[in-house]
Amino acid sequence: MITAVNRDIMPENWYNVVPDLPEPLAPPRDSKQEISSINLLNKILPREVLKQEFTFRRYEKIPDEVMEQYEQIGRPTPLIRAKNLEKYLDYRGKIFYKYEGATATGSHKINTAIPQAYYAMKEGVKGVTTETGAGQWGSATALAASLYGLPAQIFMVRISFEQKPLRKTVMNLYNGNVVASPSTLTEYGRKILKEHPDTPGTLGIGISEAVEYALDHDYRYMVASVMNVALTHQSVIGQETKKQLELIGEHADVLIGCVGGGSNFGGFTFPFIPDGDETEIIATTADEVPKFSKGDYKYDLVDSAGVLPQMRMYSLGADFVPPTIYAGGLRYHGASPSLSLLINRGRIKSDEVTESQVKEALRIFANTQGVIAAPESGHAIATAINYAKSHKNEGKTIVVNVSGHGMLDLSIFGERQ
Amino acid sequence: MKNLIPYFTLGYPDNTKLCRFLDILPVEKINYIEFGFPSSDPRYDGPVIRKTHSVGNHNFSESVYSKYFDYFYRNRIKMYSLSYYSDIKDRFDEFINYLQVNNFSGIIIPDLIIDYFNDSKSIINELNKREFEYIPFFSPATPDFVIRDIAAITDSWVYYGLQPSTGIEIPYELDYTTERINELLPRREITYGFGIKTDEDIKNLMKNGGSGVAIGTYLVKMIDAGDEEGFIEYIDKMRGVLNE
Ligand SMILES: Cc1ncc(COP(=O)(O)O)c(C=O)c1O
């Protein structure tokens, strides 16, 4: 339903944090000596996306056509006070959650898929391609491409392909083509399959395959996360949240989100960065993928093949093969450079939770709020619950981003004991 | 006079060939010159300039160039060194002394505020004390407050890289870029570099208040081809465009 209120809540611009960072963001760096992987981006990304990747504009106007589609897929998403959870935890402050699971594809991913597909369509490319972990990004890409009449080729990390077969159905329903990655569609995939026939796959491999596919087929690659432009598009989440809080006279003391590459987290929290240091900001990763505590802050490969430029970020190494946790979207080895910088400077804190803590948090959230959250989002919820337990009587307002629903990830619960 | 700043990596393609180009450089057409001291890790340069560093690293010999430094100095051409801090940090004093002895006016350090941000102000103050110009090097990714802070402790011209690294062609909005830097640093000389090659680029930059341009990657092509005539013609033409 479109009401005046909806349009009031939705921002007119995307917000880009780069000009507001506490120190200059290190530029991307070529991965290979002889060629410029930065220049190669001209063939990989739609021109407008590339421009936005390197822009220093604080605000970028959201095209009308994109605004319209944002409304179609359910923006603005709700900000809900989790009163049942507060009661369950006997918490003396307030807990709110921003619910990105309410979008048509079930996660925040659609927020950047729509503009990227839109720009690709406007430039008349043949199609789009990407990787997907849990399948949320693949679903968003397939839908966005389909809305603009473009074919989509999706490389789905093999372990998720096997764990989450319904995701493939969803992507197919949205007219996307899906293969398990590593695949035989690319040279890089064939090489990995030959060397490691049993590999569960990684997002790094998936990205490499998609980029190769884009270069070979005059397709454009859709950026799920990590790169600045994806975080900029996702800023609709945080800007809406700010507005929604403002409308009810609330103020966030603590913001919590989960981090795979950093897109939902950056989108949710960065719009609060220019307001100063009052709001505490916490990034949760999977304990099994401890990039912020065990990773190095350094230039590293974004994709395993090294076709894309290197970026300075927290990384466990592009060849890191993470355990096969359910939160496929958190299995990525690195994190967005802007987020990494803010963590390195201490502006943003980090937390890690284990899969069993996540399951427990998902159960509690389902039982209290009725929402079955995505395993990725379960990490943020677990941190929020721990935070509420350890700061019970301080009267703080916690806002947590629930980046997606978990209706297609139910296998995480197995058989109920 | 608007600044036309040709850039050369010392030792590329070899000392003799580079000297030949320095010999024929029409000194009356330029007012500044930028010399890259070969770096072992020119991390913020594109592939063309990276190649000149790796070749230059093998060939560079100090003794070859001192007479050129002297020659440009006598011709009132201000010389600036392009050096990566990662290469000079262990012999910083010695290197700055060397530049001052050879009559360089200042230094451009592309990695300083990126990789050594916390130390950058004290290093700049050190250069100020020595009365050696630190040329602030900014790019579109430099946050506003950093531009203001660094500009506040320096008074030289500013080097503004339009691209994330040399020789790269990422689409950008020229008008918006110049507008922003002009707004942040009114009354400051802004010289643009990175990815500039056509007359059109230069005209637009000057129209928007630029004080000059630095040209590097594009010259390498002529140096590679040994195209002396083309080189002289090009410098001549760029000067003409700047003077318009
Ligand atoms: C629901 C959900 N949340 C979070 C993520 C992690 O990605 P990012 O850190 O880019 O938000 C994913 C990625 O697949 C996801 O599907």
Side-chain angles (χ1 to χ4, degrees):
Chain A
M1 187 177 50
I2 300 167
T3 64
V5 179
N6 282 355
R7 273 280 174 152
D8 283 350
I9 292 170
M10 289 166 71
E12 287 174 10
N13 300 298
W14 289 301
Y15 167 73
N16 170 22
V17 79
V18 172
D20 290 325
L21 289 173
E23 61 181 81
L25 191 65
R29 221 177 124 172
D30 285 334
S31 297
K32 302 204 165 97
Q33 189 57 30
E34 321 72 45
I35 59 156
S36 171
S37 29
I38 304 176
N39 255 351
L40 199 60
L41 291 175
N42 281 300
K43 292 195 187 132
I44 295 172
L45 301 177
R47 204 179 147 76
E48 184 59 33
V49 173
L50 185 56
K51 196 162 109 194
Q52 291 178 10
E53 173 63 21
F54 286 97
T55 189
F56 49 83
R57 268 182 195 272
R58 200 168 267 117
Y59 296 103
E60 190 79 46
K61 172 135 177 37
I62 304 174
D64 292 342
E65 296 86 338
V66 171
M67 281 297 265
E68 264 163 40
Q69 294 305 332
Y70 274 172
E71 283 174 340
Q72 293 304 303
I73 56 83
R75 297 222 75 82
T77 56
L79 178 77
I80 298 169
R81 178 154 172 207
K83 284 194 178 167
N84 298 340
L85 180 63
E86 289 170 12
K87 203 185 285 168
Y88 171 85
L89 296 169
D90 191 24
Y91 183 64
R92 310 284 159 75
K94 292 171 188 161
I95 302 175
F96 288 90
Y97 68 99
K98 175 72 169 163
Y99 190 42
E100 289 298 299
T103 65
T105 59
S107 82
H108 67 292
K109 301 287 186 181
I110 194 73
N111 300 332
T112 185
I114 286 175
Q116 290 187 51
Y118 167 73
Y119 293 127
M121 174 277 291
K122 288 250 293 189
E123 285 167 32
V125 307
K126 286 202 188 129
V128 294
T129 176
T130 198
E131 80 291 349
T132 188
Q136 298 268 26
W137 172 240
S139 307
T141 295
L143 174 61
S146 176
L147 287 174
Y148 293 115
L150 292 171
Q153 176 60 51
I154 295 148
F155 295 86
M156 186 169 187
V157 175
R158 186 201 264 173
I159 177 71
S160 299
F161 191 85
E162 286 161 7
Q163 277 175 345
K164 300 168 185 184
L166 289 176
R167 272 287 167 198
K168 181 171 175 289
T169 313
V170 172
M171 289 183 259
N172 290 156
L173 206 54
Y174 291 145
N175 302 315
N177 298 314
V178 192
V179 289
S181 166
S183 76
T184 53
L185 290 188
T186 66
E187 203 182 307
Y188 189 71
R190 290 190 291 273
K191 175 171 162 269
I192 298 281
L193 280 174
K194 204 163 147 205
E195 288 165 10
H196 309 282
D198 298 325
T199 177
T202 65
L203 284 165
I205 296 171
I207 298 172
S208 302
E209 288 205 80
V211 168
E212 181 186 326
Y213 194 89
L215 287 169
D216 287 354
H217 294 78
D218 192 23
Y219 272 36
R220 289 299 177 277
Y221 171 68
M222 301 259 288
V223 183
S225 188
V226 186
M227 289 177 76
N228 197 45
V229 62
L231 277 67
T232 297
H233 294 159
Q234 294 293 353
S235 68
V236 292
I237 307 172
Q239 293 188 83
E240 282 178 13
T241 305
K242 268 177 96 162
K243 192 72 187 198
Q244 287 164 317
L245 287 169
E246 197 184 298
L247 287 174
I248 51 170
E250 296 289 345
H251 173 83
D253 295 309
V254 190
L255 298 171
I256 299 171
C258 68
V259 175
S263 73
N264 88 85
F265 184 84
F268 174 55
T269 65
F270 287 179
F272 291 83
I273 292 283
D275 301 345
D277 290 348
E278 270 157 49
T279 309
E280 193 178 346
I281 307 183
I282 307 171
T284 311
T285 61
D287 178 70
E288 297 82 358
V289 192
K291 58 189 82 169
F292 296 133
S293 63
K294 308 245 164 56
D296 296 319
Y297 184 48
K298 60 169 186 194
Y299 271 101
D300 202 3
L301 298 176
V302 170
D303 60 317
S304 345
V307 180
L308 295 176
Q310 295 186 16
M311 301 203 185
R312 180 176 293 159
M313 58 180 178
Y314 278 98
S315 170
L316 292 158
D319 50 0
F320 173 77
V321 180
T324 52
I325 53 170
Y326 281 90
L330 303 193
R331 290 178 77 239
Y332 187 64
H333 64 276
S336 153
S338 51
L339 170 59
S340 294
L341 189 153
L342 288 162
I343 295 239
N344 185 254
R345 291 278 298 207
R347 174 63 187 95
I348 294 176
K349 294 179 201 147
S350 65
D351 188 30
E352 283 159 6
V353 292
T354 63
E355 184 152 82
S356 60
Q357 286 175 297
V358 169
K359 275 196 226 176
E360 183 54 24
L362 289 172
R363 277 210 178 89
I364 293 171
F365 203 64
N367 280 310
T368 53
Q369 297 304 132
V371 165
I372 298 170
E376 290 83 1
S377 319
H379 289 71
I381 297 169
T383 295
I385 290 175
N386 290 341
Y387 191 96
K389 282 182 181 165
S390 55
H391 298 76
K392 239 181 183 145
N393 300 315
E394 296 169 23
K396 285 185 179 170
T397 299
I398 301 172
V399 188
V400 54
N401 190 37
V402 175
S403 52
H405 73 60
M407 300 298 276
L408 290 169
D409 305 292
L410 293 172
S411 56
I412 188 175
F413 297 108
E415 300 291 312
R416 185 72 204 254
Q417 329 65 345
Chain B
M1 165 150 105
K2 300 271 186 193
N3 303 328
L4 176 57
I5 315 182
Y7 166 86
F8 302 94
T9 303
L10 294 172
Y12 181 84
D14 59 39
N15 294 318
T16 319
K17 287 196 186 120
L18 176 58
C19 288
R20 181 75 198 128
F21 278 89
L22 296 179
D23 284 331
I24 61 167
L25 183 65
V27 281
E28 68 289 356
K29 299 276 157 65
I30 64 165
N31 40 357
Y32 294 177
I33 192 165
E34 181 187 354
F35 287 116
F37 283 78
S39 169
S40 53
D41 182 17
R43 49 173 59 193
Y44 300 126
D45 276 294
V48 173
I49 301 290
R50 279 207 298 276
K51 179 187 70 179
T52 68
H53 279 273
S54 70
V55 172
N57 237 336
H58 282 285
N59 300 337
F60 174 61
S61 143
E62 266 179 32
S63 58
V64 177
Y65 296 102
S66 42
K67 76 167 194 273
Y68 283 94
F69 297 156
D70 192 47
Y71 162 73
F72 289 119
Y73 178 66
R74 279 189 286 102
N75 278 282
R76 294 172 191 281
I77 290 166
K78 286 179 124 190
M79 289 176 289
Y80 293 92
S81 145
L82 178 287
S83 307
Y84 279 78
Y85 193 65
S86 57
D87 289 306
I88 59 173
K89 66 178 191 301
D90 295 333
R91 50 182 177 96
F92 188 71
D93 277 335
E94 187 193 330
F95 185 68
I96 300 299
N97 274 338
Y98 162 81
L99 293 177
Q100 289 191 301
V101 165
N102 281 286
N103 294 310
F104 275 68
S105 296
I107 185 167
I108 300 156
I109 316 178
D111 56 343
L112 186 68
I113 61 166
I114 298 170
D115 296 327
Y116 303 92
F117 182 70
N118 291 334
D119 303 329
S120 57
K121 282 191 185 164
S122 67
I123 292 164
I124 294 167
N125 285 328
E126 178 60 31
L127 292 167
N128 286 342
K129 245 189 273 160
R130 287 163 162 267
E131 297 188 356
F132 196 57
E133 287 176 52
Y134 167 79
I135 308 299
F137 174 76
F138 300 137
S139 81
T142 318
D144 294 359
F145 85 91
V146 177
I147 294 183
R148 285 200 199 94
D149 283 4
I150 301 284
I153 56 168
T154 55
D155 47 25
S156 59
W157 55 282
V158 165
Y159 192 127
Y160 195 92
L162 293 163
Q163 292 284 345
S165 68
T166 48
I168 298 290
E169 288 170 50
I170 298 293
Y172 71 99
E173 297 161 276
L174 187 134
D175 287 343
Y176 186 77
T177 308
T178 52
E179 217 172 90
R180 173 190 179 227
I181 189 73
N182 289 342
E183 215 176 279
L184 284 169
L185 303 179
R187 293 180 298 280
R188 193 79 180 242
E189 276 188 31
I190 314 289
T191 288
Y192 293 94
F194 285 25
I196 296 173
K197 52 182 182 197
T198 66
D199 309 8
E200 220 38 47
D201 294 341
I202 297 184
K203 272 184 203 154
N204 287 327
L205 289 167
M206 295 309 109
K207 193 181 79 209
N208 294 359
S211 68
V213 291
I215 296 172
T217 301
Y218 202 70
L219 295 184
V220 174
K221 293 199 178 106
M222 288 176 260
I223 294 175
D224 278 348
D227 183 5
E228 296 179 10
E229 246 168 68
F231 172 81
I232 295 172
E233 242 168 61
Y234 180 74
I235 297 283
D236 205 51
K237 188 164 129 215
M238 291 301 120
R239 169 48 69 197
V241 176
L242 280 172
N243 284 353
E244 267 173 30

